[in-house]
Amino acid sequence: MTQTCPVFPRGPLNPAGPVRLVCLPFAGGNATAYASLERALADIAEVRVPELPGRGTRFGEAFATDLPTVAAEIAGALRAMPQKPLVLFGHSLGTLIAYEVARTLAAAGGAPRHLVLSGRRAPLTGEGPLAEEALTDAALEARMRRLGGTPPELFAARDLLALVLPVVRADYRLASQHVPDPTSQLLRLPATILGGDADLDNPPGLLPGWGVWLGRAPAVQIWPGGHFFIRAQGERLAALLRDVIAAEAPAP
C-alpha cells in the first residue's frame, strides 16, 4: 500500500513499527486530527489516520451516508497492507467507526487485538436520527461551542466555518443514523472505554453498556473533563495507548 492510498493519504512516521495503531476521527475531523498522537507514539507504532470522504485530501467527494460502507472501505485498505498486530482507537464518532471496522475485519478473520473507544456512550436501539432542526448551521455552531473541541478562532473566521459546518453536519447525521446490528457476531475483544466526567452527552453511567455490543465487560476509565477531555489529557492518552501497544507488540 502506497502513501497515496485515498483512505490513508498520509504516510506513517514509522512504517516499520511492529504494531499498527489506527486512530478514527471525531465529527469534522480529518487525517491530521491526531497529529500529536502520531508524533508521541512514532517510536513504537505505525500510526495511521484515515481520511473520510468530503474533507481534507478527499474534499469534493460525496459524504458517506452509512457507517458500514465507511468501515468496509477502511477495513479493505487495512487488509491490503502488510499484516501486523492492530489496535484501533476512536473518539466520539470515531468510536462507532472503530467498532464497525473491528467487526468487518473480524468477519474476514483479521480482528484487531484491542479497541480503545473514547467519548461516546454505548449505542441505544430505538433512538432514531437527529432531527433536522438540530443540524442547521446555528444549531451546529452552538453545539460545537458547547462541546469545546473547536479552536475559538474558527468561529471568527466565518468563511472557513462555512466550509467546516457541512462536514460536521454530515458526520453528525452519519453517527445519529447508526446503531450496530445486534444480530451480528459479537467481537469479544479486549476493549478500554474512556469518558469524561463532565461529558453531559455521554454520562459515565452509560459507558459500561458497550459490553452489550462487545460480548464482554470492557475496562472503563473516567477522566476529568467534558466531551473533548482527550485534548487536555493528551499525555495521559498517549501513555495509555503506549501501554496497549506494548502489550500487543510481538516478542523480540
Side-chain angles (χ1 to χ4, degrees), residues 59 90 125 177:
F59 183 80
T125 57
Q177 291 176 344

Side-chain angles (χ1 to χ4, degrees), residues 148-155 231:
T150 305
E153 55 268 24
L154 177 63
F155 298 114
R231 293 281 174 81

Side-chain angles (χ1 to χ4, degrees), residues 5 14 28 52 71 82 84 89-90 95-96 102 107 111 124-125 136 142 148 150 170 188 195 201 205 211 217 229 241:
C5 167
N14 180 10
L52 303 187
K84 61 180 69 176
F89 164 71
T95 67
L96 295 178
L124 301 173
T125 57
T136 64
T150 305
R188 306 191 187 280
D201 292 346
F229 63 92
L241 290 171

Side-chain angles (χ1 to χ4, degrees), residues 150-173:
T150 305
E153 55 268 24
L154 177 63
F155 298 114
R158 306 306 294 183
D159 290 346
L160 181 57
L161 182 63
L163 295 175
V164 171
L165 286 174
V167 180
V168 175
R169 179 180 296 108
D171 286 353
Y172 281 170
R173 185 177 283 127

Side-chain angles (χ1 to χ4, degrees), residues 45-115:
E46 172 197 329
V47 183
R48 297 270 187 171
V49 184
E51 190 83 278
L52 303 187
R55 83 248 13 236
T57 58
R58 302 180 71 180
F59 183 80
E61 292 187 34
F63 294 119
T65 57
D66 69 278
L67 272 173
T69 298
V70 172
E73 181 182 55
I74 295 171
L78 290 172
R79 285 196 300 269
M81 295 178 182
Q83 296 304 291
K84 61 180 69 176
L86 175 66
V87 174
L88 299 181
F89 164 71
H91 181 75
S92 196
L93 166 66
T95 67
L96 295 178
I97 301 174
Y99 179 78
E100 290 298 340
V101 169
R103 290 220 293 192
T104 302
L105 290 172
R113 301 290 186 86
H114 198 111
L115 301 180

Side-chain angles (χ1 to χ4, degrees), residues 130-155:
L130 285 172
E132 286 302 307
E133 55 264 30
L135 296 171
T136 64
D137 285 357
L140 288 173
E141 181 176 346
R143 183 180 178 89
M144 291 164 67
R145 289 179 182 273
R146 178 171 61 82
L147 293 178
T150 305
E153 55 268 24
L154 177 63
F155 298 114

